[in-house]
Amino acid sequence: MSVSRPANHVTELTVGQLSARSGVAVTALHFYESKGLIKSRRTPGNQRRYTRDTLRRISVIRVAQRMGIPLSTVSEALAALPEGRTPNRADWARLSQRWRADLNERIEQLLALRDGLEDCIGCGCLSVSDCPLTNPYDELGEEGPGPRRLLREPTGAAARGRPQHTPVAEADVPVADPCGGVSPSCQGDAKDPTD
């Protein structure tokens, strides 16, 4: 599907252009703006205009959401940027590194969920054939409510002593670039008029 792209010389986008190019519904853009994730200026006719670099902020938001990062966490991270600027490549590396430990923990929990759904999960139903062996008399219910075997701390690498928040030099961090590395501004602080 081809997206109508604004001309390269256009530095401000209408909400419709921003929606078309970012793939985000206008209502979602209004929501992001109400939460302070993006900002616009108003024309004399009271129409919204967004600077073109808002596309990168939206990309960071969408990638973070896809990774399961709550919008409140994304908002805090974007607010911490100097003067509320749009994240550059170095900023994105720091943000993604900060979220890496949470993602690894979430991955382990999802794997445990996937692998444990067919067996006794410690919910107290005692209806699966493994329940009488792995949770006799619903002993796991003494730990608390819910599916106790799925709610336990991760048993993988995190539980074996892997550091949860290891500082990593920027050069060592693989960068998942939200703008695909095609824009020179993704390579640093330089502004690309087409970005």
Side-chain angles (χ1 to χ4, degrees):
M1 179 173 103
S2 178
V3 174
S4 174
R5 293 181 295 166
N8 292 342
H9 67 281
V10 174
T11 59
E12 288 189 322
L13 305 175
T14 67
V15 70
Q17 290 171 320
L18 189 66
S19 174
R21 182 61 184 92
S22 67
V24 174
V26 170
T27 54
L29 295 174
H30 291 167
F31 177 76
Y32 291 166
E33 191 168 358
S34 74
K35 296 299 181 187
L37 293 163
I38 62 174
K39 62 183 178 184
S40 66
R41 74 169 183 86
R42 295 289 186 150
T43 66
N46 202 27
Q47 295 176 332
R48 289 179 168 94
R49 292 294 184 267
Y50 299 88
T51 57
R52 197 170 182 122
D53 63 353
T54 304
L55 285 167
R56 180 166 312 134
R57 287 182 77 90
I58 294 168
S59 294
V60 168
I61 294 164
R62 289 187 71 195
V63 169
Q65 283 183 299
R66 194 160 189 194
M67 294 188 308
I69 306 298
L71 276 180
S72 59
T73 303
V74 176
S75 180
E76 290 170 12
L78 292 175
L81 294 174
E83 299 175 10
R85 76 164 188 255
T86 294
N88 60 30
R89 187 175 185 171
D91 295 327
W92 176 247
R94 281 190 295 278
L95 293 174
S96 62
Q97 180 60 32
R98 185 183 311 167
W99 297 332
R100 188 176 307 258
D102 291 337
L103 291 174
N104 286 336
E105 184 176 321
R106 207 169 294 140
I107 289 168
E108 287 187 22
Q109 290 171 348
L110 287 171
L111 289 172
L113 179 63
R114 180 199 68 192
D115 295 342
L117 282 177
E118 295 176 3
D119 296 325
C120 175
I121 59 174
C123 67
C125 76
L126 302 179
S127 63
V128 177
S129 61
D130 290 350
C131 290
L133 299 173
T134 58
N135 187 22
Y137 308 107
D138 191 24
E139 291 172 354
L140 293 173
E142 294 176 18
E143 293 180 13
R148 302 313 308 162
R149 292 184 70 213
L150 294 180
L151 296 176
R152 288 183 175 159
E153 290 298 315
T155 57
R160 291 193 297 269
R162 183 191 74 223
Q164 292 295 312
H165 298 283
T166 306
V168 178
E170 281 183 28
D172 297 336
V173 177
V175 176
D177 192 349
C179 49
V182 293
S183 169
S185 62
C186 288
Q187 308 302 317
D189 290 326
K191 285 283 185 189
D192 176 7
T194 64
D195 192 23

